[in-house]
Amino acid sequence: MTNGPFRITTAQAKVGYVVGATVVEVLLALLLFALGVPDVAVPFLAAVGLVAMVVVGVRVFRGDDEPVAPPRAWWRMTARPFAGFLLAAYFVADGVLARSSVSGGFDAAGTVVMLLVAAAYLGSSVTLLVLRSQGRAPAGAFRTGGAASRG
């Protein structure tokens, strides 16, 4: 049993989570097709499933400089800006390139969902950069033994 909340802190575990989430998304899509869900609805429903996995990942992943116990700030998607920019690019590519190959209204909705996820990663990274440029740390960003925050 653990005393604190579940957190993913190692690079290997993070890669495992991302690979696992991708496999689950593909399996979810195959299951939906097998259950007879209309073909136009499957990409959207798979995108919604992926968003759920992103939300869980964002809440449990932690960087080396982040405290493990407290929850992340609501806007924070990654530990560092560069990771957020890479993930934003991935979700733009997923939304624009991969999902545009399937036609239908629900696919358009799936594309919008992926672009919204990309926007969240982009916004998080820009916020981290702005705070860094101002010399301010994001809330709960560093293990500082209770130092007062600079306002």
Side-chain angles (χ1 to χ4, degrees):
M1 288 232 156
T2 62
N3 292 337
F6 175 75
R7 300 288 189 238
I8 299 174
T9 58
T10 66
Q12 297 87 348
K14 291 175 184 178
V15 169
Y17 182 91
V18 170
V19 169
T22 303
V23 169
V24 168
E25 181 191 18
V26 170
L27 291 175
L28 174 63
L30 293 173
L31 176 65
L32 293 170
F33 280 125
L35 292 174
V37 173
D39 291 355
V40 295
V42 171
F44 172 71
L45 295 173
V48 170
L50 182 64
V51 168
M53 291 179 270
V54 166
V55 168
V56 170
V58 164
R59 297 296 102 202
V60 300
F61 280 28
R62 287 296 184 272
D64 294 336
D65 62 348
E66 286 183 90
V68 174
R72 264 187 176 163
W74 66 266
W75 53 266
R76 192 167 185 177
M77 303 282 287
T78 60
R80 292 177 185 77
F82 184 70
F85 289 129
L86 284 178
L87 287 163
Y90 167 78
F91 283 106
V92 166
D94 184 348
V96 173
L97 302 175
R99 295 182 189 274
S100 66
S101 63
V102 180
S103 62
F106 281 102
D107 184 59
T111 297
V112 169
V113 168
M114 292 299 103
L115 293 177
L116 289 173
V117 170
Y121 277 108
L122 182 64
S124 172
S125 291
V126 168
T127 302
L128 286 170
L129 286 176
V130 167
L131 290 174
R132 181 185 293 168
S133 74
Q134 295 173 346
R136 295 173 29 204
F142 305 101
R143 292 184 185 114
T144 57
S149 66
R150 291 183 254 168

